[in-house]
Amino acid sequence: MRRLLTAVVLAASLVAPALAQQSTADPKNTIYLDTKDGRVTIRLRPDLAPRHVEQIKTLTKRGFYDGVPFHRVIDGFMAQTGDPTGTGMGKSDLPNIPAEFTKTPYKPGTVGMARSANPDSANSQFFICYEGCGPLTGQYTVVGEVVSGMDAVRKIKKGDRNANGTVENPDKIVRMQLAEDAR
């Protein structure tokens, strides 16, 4: 029994570092999103949404997301950011992107692009799912997934459910950078 326990502990010590490295295995497609409560590591999915991922990477390299508020946060649903005005109506100066919908299911930690009623209106806003995002599958573009730091995402200040998640004095992205550019 002792040998079995030792073997299990040894195997766990070998697997854990490998799992931790997976999050930055592709530094060109890994985002570090820093909040006041810690770092969120997002693995981008260019295999699902190459144009959307490229837009996020371009804006990240510009520093566009630094200081941008989480303007809409609904407990049990999602946290939305990417609007520099904090109103839900703002976007970047880059053109909107045509939809890249897939059947990839929305689940906790999925990162999707926000848009208006027009499917081809995604620009800079994105959201991170808590729970309850399943019905968005096939209707919003999946751009990535949180691989570590969901605890920090869950600490983002929540908005008023009666006001569609609008947040007063919202938490902000402290800094967002590609892993390949991280300092």
Side-chain angles (χ1 to χ4, degrees):
M1 184 66 160
R2 180 169 241 148
R3 284 184 188 179
L4 178 59
L5 184 57
T6 302
V8 169
V9 169
L10 178 61
S13 69
L14 294 173
V15 170
L19 290 175
Q21 275 193 321
Q22 281 181 356
S23 65
T24 56
D26 183 2
K28 291 181 181 189
N29 287 302
T30 300
I31 294 277
Y32 295 145
L33 186 159
D34 294 324
T35 71
K36 69 177 180 41
D37 294 306
R39 175 166 281 179
V40 180
T41 304
I42 299 168
R43 179 174 70 105
L44 296 174
R45 297 289 309 269
D47 58 315
L48 299 178
R51 291 173 288 190
H52 286 76
V53 167
E54 194 55 42
Q55 184 120 323
I56 288 175
K57 288 167 59 171
T58 297
L59 293 170
T60 298
K61 285 179 181 251
R62 284 187 185 177
F64 174 86
Y65 292 107
D66 298 352
V68 172
F70 285 93
H71 65 275
R72 183 171 176 243
V73 184
I74 301 172
D75 192 27
F77 183 46
M78 60 87 217
Q80 185 172 334
T81 186
D83 171 7
T85 71
T87 65
M89 304 300 289
K91 62 181 187 173
S92 77
D93 62 348
L94 297 177
N96 291 345
I97 315 157
E100 295 178 293
F101 299 158
T102 66
K103 296 292 184 196
T104 302
Y106 274 83
K107 57 187 180 186
T110 297
V111 180
M113 290 299 283
R115 61 173 178 80
S116 69
N118 177 349
D120 298 329
S121 62
N123 184 285
S124 60
Q125 293 188 44
F126 64 91
F127 56 90
I128 303 172
C129 291
Y130 295 129
E131 291 76 32
C133 290
L136 303 179
T137 300
Q139 298 181 49
Y140 288 80
T141 300
V142 173
V143 294
E145 59 197 357
V146 173
V147 294
S148 69
M150 237 357 243
D151 55 328
V153 175
R154 292 187 187 286
K155 291 178 184 173
I156 295 169
K157 184 178 180 184
K158 308 302 184 278
D160 180 353
R161 240 187 212 283
N162 296 325
N164 199 24
T166 301
V167 185
E168 295 220 11
N169 300 314
D171 288 346
K172 296 178 179 180
I173 296 173
V174 173
R175 178 190 226 180
M176 193 160 127
Q177 57 190 325
L178 283 167
E180 71 177 349
D181 299 330
R183 322 170 246 181

